[in-house]
Amino acid sequence: MSISPLRSLASTASRIPSLKQSIIPSSSRFASSSSTSSSTKTKSTSSSKPSTQTTPLPKDDWELPHIHIGSTHSPRYSEHYHNTLSSDLMYMTYSHRLANKVEKLPLEEKDLTPYEANRPKPPIMRGNRSLRTKTTKINENNVPKLESIIIHTMVKEAIANKATLLSAIMALRAISGETPNGGGKKGSSGVEVIVAKKSAAAWKLRAGMPVSVKVELKGDSMYDFLQSLVDFVLPRLRDFPGIPLPPSSTPKNSPASLTGIVSFGFSPTTMSFFPQIESNTDAYPRLHGFHVYFKTSLRGENAHEHARTLVSGFRIPFYRR
């Protein structure tokens, strides 16, 4: 490489300070003076004109719109019921006897005499048997389905100290995700505190004392709880055979057999297996046992058997003692 380019660079670098100290020509001075005079003229003209200020917009025009937080996806167990389980239940529980049964025509009411018109009807004596509910007809428009799931826990220590209910309330809120008017749902009541209806001197219980907590799940939150129960909790229970079936000697006309409600309970350790609680177990000073009630749309004869068939379709096992 030749040395001449380096010398040229050094000479240009030594000229830079001298360029800064050069005197500004008269033409540039004249331009600057003209610019200052024009600026003063514009200021004087602007000061003479009245200033126009924009009025702020009304409050209703700049408020943010209402944001509704809805569901982002349909629950997997809800799709399983509508796509697979409902047709299977229709096939298994359909009764041809009820479908082909001719409905009785309503009886024609007789004209009441002046003596009967102004007097109440006498009560009908039905003996000592309870009234039997009507059997639900199962057809394509009335397939058995889950209406709601109720989670209930009893806290005996709340009789002496009401503060012990806080751990149960926190646990049920974490499991169900239900809070009053939470998630944009106006009908959600959240976790409810149940008070005693009657007094019991043996347990030092008075009417109106809070003793238990419950929450009722419907819609997508019901299927989300069912999925976490079946996928995460039940497989981790050690030596879990399933839900015990009632004995075969249970009469079919009993009130429990005529209602389509399936209920079973779990120990306090089961609550710690839910992923919502397992991630932060230290936040709950005490865990409690709880009962789960599956409320179905079935009523009448064989309602409990068909309800167990519906619940078993969600992979909840049953066994005979």
Side-chain angles (χ1 to χ4, degrees):
M1 180 178 180
S2 62
I3 304 174
S4 59
L6 297 177
R7 289 179 180 177
S8 61
L9 290 173
S11 62
T12 54
S14 61
R15 293 175 187 173
I16 292 173
S18 62
L19 293 174
K20 290 182 179 180
Q21 297 176 0
S22 62
I23 302 171
I24 301 173
S26 59
S27 61
S28 61
R29 290 179 182 176
F30 179 76
S32 62
S33 62
S34 63
S35 62
T36 53
S37 62
S38 63
S39 63
T40 54
K41 288 181 181 179
T42 54
K43 287 182 180 179
S44 62
T45 55
S46 62
S47 62
S48 62
K49 292 181 179 180
S51 60
T52 56
Q53 296 181 356
T54 57
T55 57
L57 295 174
K59 188 177 179 181
D60 296 338
D61 294 344
W62 54 267
E63 281 186 350
L64 291 175
H66 176 69
I67 300 173
H68 175 70
I69 302 175
S71 58
T72 57
H73 64 283
S74 59
R76 186 164 60 89
Y77 274 52
S78 176
E79 295 180 355
H80 167 66
Y81 170 77
H82 292 291
N83 298 334
T84 305
L85 190 57
S86 59
S87 59
D88 294 344
L89 288 171
M90 175 66 187
Y91 175 76
M92 295 172 63
T93 59
Y94 184 79
S95 177
H96 295 276
R97 178 179 60 84
L98 295 176
N100 298 328
K101 188 176 180 180
V102 180
E103 295 184 358
K104 294 182 179 180
L105 297 176
L107 298 176
E108 296 182 359
E109 296 184 359
K110 297 180 181 179
D111 296 335
L112 299 177
T113 61
Y115 178 83
E116 298 173 345
N118 300 323
R119 285 169 174 77
K121 295 181 179 180
I124 300 174
M125 305 302 293
R126 298 183 182 273
N128 57 356
R129 291 186 180 183
S130 59
L131 294 177
R132 188 170 180 178
T133 57
K134 295 182 179 180
T135 304
T136 304
K137 293 183 179 181
I138 299 175
N139 49 32
E140 63 276 3
N141 299 323
N142 191 15
V143 181
K145 63 180 180 179
L146 278 177
E147 292 182 349
S148 63
I149 295 178
I150 301 174
I151 312 170
H152 176 267
T153 177
M154 174 76 178
V155 184
K156 296 180 180 179
E157 294 78 11
I159 299 175
N161 186 11
K162 297 179 183 178
T164 54
L165 284 173
L166 294 176
S167 59
I169 293 173
M170 292 167 56
L172 290 190
R173 279 188 177 182
I175 290 174
S176 62
E178 291 290 319
T179 55
N181 298 330
K185 295 183 292 184
K186 296 292 183 66
S188 176
S189 59
V191 180
E192 301 178 9
V193 178
I194 309 300
V195 298
K197 294 182 179 179
K198 297 181 180 180
S199 301
W203 290 283
K204 300 179 181 180
L205 182 64
R206 297 189 304 271
M209 294 180 61
V211 291
S212 62
V213 179
K214 79 165 187 177
V215 60
E216 187 173 3
L217 307 176
K218 295 181 180 180
D220 294 345
S221 58
M222 171 183 66
Y223 289 106
D224 290 337
F225 168 78
L226 182 59
Q227 181 176 356
S228 61
L229 176 67
V230 174
D231 294 350
F232 297 100
V233 179
L234 296 184
R236 300 178 62 183
L237 293 179
R238 186 175 296 178
D239 299 333
F240 176 70
I243 309 302
L245 292 171
S248 57
S249 60
T250 303
K252 292 186 177 182
N253 296 333
S254 63
S257 300
L258 298 176
T259 58
I261 299 176
V262 181
S263 62
F264 44 87
F266 294 100
S267 61
T269 56
T270 308
M271 189 174 286
S272 62
F273 293 149
F274 282 91
Q276 297 91 341
I277 295 180
E278 187 181 11
S279 59
N280 193 10
T281 312
D282 298 336
Y284 306 94
R286 184 174 181 180
L287 299 177
H288 307 273
F290 60 98
H291 280 82
V292 181
Y293 299 88
F294 288 85
K295 187 177 179 181
T296 64
S297 60
L298 294 165
R299 301 290 185 275
E301 187 180 0
N302 299 326
H304 200 206
E305 296 181 3
H306 294 337
R308 288 197 300 268
T309 306
L310 171 61
V311 174
S312 64
F314 293 107
R315 299 192 301 158
I316 294 181
F318 291 88
Y319 77 99
R320 181 77 66 181
R321 291 178 179 176

